């Protein structure tokens, strides 16, 4: 059994790699491989690595369990601390978050703050990747008005320019050549961005480094599409900031200011586990006020899967309330002296007082309007402006559906509105130790079942919803039959649906026609059917194999006709951008003596970013269209 390695601060690893000579840097990737398996845990909490007889590296994490200082990593060889052994051991350890969270706001009467870090999961994740804001070509909603944001300082512009340079070099190298040295360059630039007050840029860089690590180590949770999105976000953020643009959505904020919310009354909506690849685990409970305002209470700390599973019944640390998260998800609170962050998070300051309230079913109280309009209208409202795209990826919507059946890795359902399109249900979190997947599989075995679903739209897939909770449809005969104490809903991340929760077989005959005659194979997918996959493949080829791989794809007669289907489908801009990217990748400048010279990565990075940004916008438009109701039997028009 391998020893768990302590997380290492990014700047400590970057400094160790930079101190190596050019000869040692070439050996770093090979030296790092296998280090984790050879680590040995000691009684005092330190971890040792033995490199032969004369070199022993020791990592001594601080009180928080993280290596945050160079002196906490030592080696016994003669070249220490500028030795290959020390850098390899640090490189084998996971990257630490940049700062510990501060969940407590200030005392009553003063606005508090909550610390958010580059890797701390601020929202529930839909995958095993770090739970951070999804990469997007559009900036997130600003935390404050643009009028109140000062201009970028010279230090910020310089830090953004350095990060842009590191990002372009990493993109040109790709996964195949993006080893420890390339990653260290990104980490150093990310640390400089952090010191300059650019937390969003730092977070984007750390996502790329973690993605490169996952790809090179061939982890099962790695997705090339996710790494491509991370590169797009990093290049977009660094490029715009390097130009001197003081956009508050791009500079970001490392602290979420809490303001006084006065007295609040909230009802529990549901709870869901939070699990990130950076080692955080916990729970978030979603709440609604009578006016429809959304709030949440989260309990996320280091601990991984064990904590994510156990936190569902942890006590709610808010104003002396005697509820746990399971009770709050089906109960309510009356809060006096509430402190609220801009995202709707309720703070647990010393002046906050909370009193439990009886719960209400989804069909009653503030939750009822969530299921009163079609899902297409709810998604359209979330995507009404580009600035709300990030909100759409975390907001919960509700709808009543009829189960059609399983199709591949998803469950097909049809919304209970006239001429509604087929919707795909995917697990909100695919981890096998969490019950999301098992619950959806059991639901899929009941075609025709009427179901009330509360979930998060997946804006990277056509008409896809990731449910976090389900319940029976009021008045329906063939629907779930949940215990009375569940108040008409089941949290899919914590409760496992059993046979007793479903209607008996004789009830299925009476509702045999509710599912409709649509086979699973006939479900239209405008995103998969569009020829945009050619652009996506070219971009991902560049991320995986670097600039050289894109250049190889540009050579030959086949490359000239590769984007003909795009032009015939009317996607001429996508075809032009892909052609320009391929041409720039294959550009081979010569010096004054006619010798081949290495081209600057800037032009290639801008061409790649232009194609990636256009593709993201086009795919987002197709996804939005997939939610639109169509006449019975018709399929959406080809783009």
């Amino acid at each position: 059994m391998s020893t768990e390695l302590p997380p290492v601060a990014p700047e400590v690893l970057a400094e160790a790699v930079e101190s190596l000579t050019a000869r040692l840097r070439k050996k770093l990737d090979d030296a790092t491989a296998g280090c984790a398996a050879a680590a040995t845990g000691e009684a005092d909490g330190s971890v040792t690595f033995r490199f032969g007889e004369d070199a022993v590296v020791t990592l001594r994490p601080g009180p928080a369990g993280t290596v945050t200082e160079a002196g906490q990593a030592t080696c016994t060889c003669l070249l220490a601390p500028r030795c290959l052994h020390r850098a390899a051991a640090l490189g084998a350890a996971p990257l630490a978050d940049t700062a510990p969270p501060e969940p407590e706001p200030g005392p009553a009467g003063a606005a508090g703050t909550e610390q958010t870090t580059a890797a701390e999961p601020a929202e529930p994740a839909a995958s095993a990747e770090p739970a951070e804001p999804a990469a997007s070509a559009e900036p997130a909603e600003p935390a404050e008005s643009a009028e109140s944001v000062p201009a970028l300082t010279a230090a910020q512009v310089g830090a953004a320019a350095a990060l842009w340079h590191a990002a372009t070099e990493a993109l040109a190298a790709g996964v195949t050549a993006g080893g420890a040295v390339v990653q260290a360059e990104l980490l150093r630039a990310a640390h400089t961005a952090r010191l300059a007050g650019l937390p969003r840029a730092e977070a984007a860089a750390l996502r790329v480094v973690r993605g490169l690590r996952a790809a090179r180590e061939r982890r099962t949770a790695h997705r090339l599409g996710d790494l491509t999105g991370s590169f797009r976000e990093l290049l977009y953020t660094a490029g715009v900031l390097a130009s001197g643009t003081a956009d508050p959505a791009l500079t970001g904020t490392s602290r979420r200011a809490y303001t006084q919310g006065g007295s609040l009354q909230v009802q529990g909506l549901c709870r869901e586990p939070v699990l990130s690849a950076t080692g955080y685990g916990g729970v978030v409970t979603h709440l609604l006020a009578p006016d429809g305002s959304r709030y949440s209470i989260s309990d996320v700390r280091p601990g991984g899967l064990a904590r994510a599973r156990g936190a569902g019944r942890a006590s709610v640390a808010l104003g002396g309330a005697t509820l746990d998260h399971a009770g709050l998800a089906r109960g309510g609170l009356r809060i006096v002296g509430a402190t609220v962050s801009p995202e709707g998070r309720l703070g647990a300051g010393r002046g906050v007082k909370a009193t439990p309230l009886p719960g209400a079913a989804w069909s009653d109280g503030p939750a009822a309007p969530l299921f009163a309009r079609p899902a297409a209208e709810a998604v359209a409202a979330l995507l009404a402006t580009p600035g709300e795209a990030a909100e759409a990826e975390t907001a919960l919507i509700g709808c009543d559906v009829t189960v059609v059946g399983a199709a591949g890795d998803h469950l097909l359902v049809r919304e209970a509105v006239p001429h509604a399109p087929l919707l795909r249900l995917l697990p909100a979190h695919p981890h096998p130790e969490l019950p999301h997947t098992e619950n959806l599989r059991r639901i899929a075995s009941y075609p025709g079942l009427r179901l009330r679903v509360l979930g998060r739209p997946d804006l990277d897939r056509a008409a896809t919803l990731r449910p976090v909770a389900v319940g029976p449809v009021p008045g329906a005969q063939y629907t779930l039959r949940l215990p009375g104490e569940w108040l008409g809903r089941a949290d899919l991340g914590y409760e496992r649906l059993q046979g007793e929760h479903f209607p008996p077989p004789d009830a299925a005959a009476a509702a045999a026609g509710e599912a409709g005659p649509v086979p699973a194979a006939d479900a239209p997918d405008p995103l998969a059917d569009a020829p945009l996959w050619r652009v996506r493949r070219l971009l991902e080829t560049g991320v995986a194999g670097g600039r050289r791989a894109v250049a190889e794809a540009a050579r030959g007669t086949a490359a000239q006709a590769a984007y003909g289907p795009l032009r015939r489908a009317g996607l001429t801009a996508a075809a032009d951008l892909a052609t320009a990217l391929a041409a720039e990748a294959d550009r081979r400048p010569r010096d004054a003596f006619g010798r081949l010279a290495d081209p600057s990565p800037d032009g290639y990075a801008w061409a790649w970013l232009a194609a990636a940004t256009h593709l993201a916008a086009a795919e987002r438009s197709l996804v939005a269209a997939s939610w639109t109701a169509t006449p019975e039997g018709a399929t959406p028009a080809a783009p």
Side-chain angles (χ1 to χ4, degrees), residues 170-549:
L171 178 67
V175 172
T176 55
V181 176
V182 172
Q183 296 170 26
E185 295 285 346
L186 275 173
L187 293 177
R188 171 59 69 187
H191 182 59
T192 303
R194 176 191 179 192
L195 297 179
L198 301 175
R200 180 181 172 120
E202 178 207 20
L206 292 181
R207 280 196 295 272
V208 169
V209 173
R210 289 190 172 102
L212 288 173
R213 283 189 165 195
R216 291 177 63 84
E217 296 171 7
R218 299 185 179 182
R219 300 176 191 169
T220 56
H222 164 69
R223 290 180 62 234
L224 188 58
D226 292 338
L227 182 55
T228 302
S230 298
F231 263 110
R232 183 183 70 241
E233 170 74 4
L234 173 59
L235 290 169
Y236 177 81
T237 303
V240 175
L241 291 176
S243 69
T245 303
D247 188 339
L250 295 181
T251 54
T253 176
S254 59
R255 302 183 73 86
R256 295 193 293 264
Y258 276 72
T259 58
Q260 292 297 323
S263 297
L264 293 175
Q265 182 173 320
V266 293
Q267 287 287 336
L269 187 61
C270 64
R271 61 187 164 138
E272 60 175 319
V274 177
L275 180 62
S276 89
T278 57
Y280 280 89
V283 62
V284 58
T285 297
H286 300 278
L287 309 166
L288 279 177
D291 62 356
S293 299
R294 304 190 183 197
Y295 300 93
S296 65
I297 296 178
S298 59
D299 182 5
V300 181
R301 301 176 186 175
L305 176 63
R307 195 172 193 288
R309 297 174 64 180
R313 291 197 170 274
S315 298
V316 176
L318 182 69
T322 57
L323 287 175
D324 58 15
H325 281 272
L328 178 58
R330 295 185 174 90
L333 285 176
R334 180 178 288 111
I335 308 172
V336 178
T339 56
V340 187
S341 77
E343 298 85 3
R345 296 176 181 273
L346 297 178
R350 290 192 296 271
V352 179
K353 305 295 182 182
T355 304
L357 294 175
W362 278 351
S363 57
D364 302 324
L370 290 177
F371 306 93
R373 62 175 177 173
E377 292 184 12
V379 173
L382 291 172
L383 296 176
T385 60
E388 294 183 3
E391 177 186 348
E393 293 171 354
T394 58
L396 297 176
I397 64 172
C399 57
D400 292 346
V401 302
T402 301
V403 174
V404 174
D409 62 345
H410 53 262
L411 168 63
L412 283 180
V413 299
R414 185 179 293 281
E415 192 177 1
V417 296
H419 310 308
L422 286 174
L423 304 182
R424 299 163 177 81
L425 302 188
L426 284 177
H429 204 302
H431 197 288
E433 296 297 324
L434 296 175
H436 293 96
T437 301
E438 179 185 341
N439 283 330
L440 289 186
R441 287 174 179 170
R442 185 174 287 273
I443 292 173
S445 62
Y446 289 84
L449 183 73
R450 297 291 305 278
L451 199 66
R452 176 157 284 188
V453 177
L454 185 69
R456 186 172 292 105
D458 186 340
L459 300 183
D460 292 328
R461 297 170 180 261
T464 299
L465 194 66
R466 295 186 180 270
V468 297
V470 297
V473 175
Q477 177 184 3
Y478 192 53
T479 188
L480 291 177
R481 302 186 178 186
L482 302 179
E485 59 270 20
W486 286 17
L487 284 182
R489 67 259 207 182
D491 297 327
L492 296 179
Y494 286 106
E495 283 138 355
R496 298 183 184 271
L497 296 175
Q498 306 295 333
E500 61 187 13
H501 300 144
F502 292 88
D506 56 354
E514 292 191 29
V518 181
D522 290 346
D525 188 342
L527 188 59
D529 297 339
L532 287 170
W533 63 266
R534 291 173 167 83
V535 183
R536 189 184 315 114
R537 184 173 65 181
L538 182 66
L539 294 170
E540 293 181 354
T541 296
V543 171
R547 180 173 185 161
R548 291 185 179 180

Side-chain angles (χ1 to χ4, degrees), residues 39-239:
T40 303
E42 306 297 339
D44 60 355
S46 63
V47 178
T48 59
F49 304 78
R50 182 170 295 278
F51 296 84
E53 297 182 357
D54 300 327
V56 177
V57 177
T58 304
L59 302 184
R60 295 184 176 87
T66 302
V67 177
T68 57
E69 300 177 2
Q72 293 174 337
T74 60
C75 182
T76 59
C77 77
L78 297 178
L79 294 179
R82 300 180 177 181
C83 63
L84 181 64
H85 316 113
R86 179 173 175 272
L90 290 171
L95 286 179
D97 297 325
T98 55
E102 294 178 9
E104 292 292 335
T113 57
E114 181 180 9
Q115 181 75 29
T116 179
T117 68
E120 180 189 353
E123 292 293 345
S127 69
E129 294 299 307
E132 300 167 305
S136 171
E138 302 87 6
E141 184 178 359
E144 52 184 330
S145 62
E147 292 79 2
S148 63
V149 178
L152 292 180
T153 65
Q156 288 177 320
V157 174
L163 187 57
W164 165 264
H165 177 73
T168 59
E169 294 287 352
L171 178 67
V175 172
T176 55
V181 176
V182 172
Q183 296 170 26
E185 295 285 346
L186 275 173
L187 293 177
R188 171 59 69 187
H191 182 59
T192 303
R194 176 191 179 192
L195 297 179
L198 301 175
R200 180 181 172 120
E202 178 207 20
L206 292 181
R207 280 196 295 272
V208 169
V209 173
R210 289 190 172 102
L212 288 173
R213 283 189 165 195
R216 291 177 63 84
E217 296 171 7
R218 299 185 179 182
R219 300 176 191 169
T220 56
H222 164 69
R223 290 180 62 234
L224 188 58
D226 292 338
L227 182 55
T228 302
S230 298
F231 263 110
R232 183 183 70 241
E233 170 74 4
L234 173 59
L235 290 169
Y236 177 81
T237 303

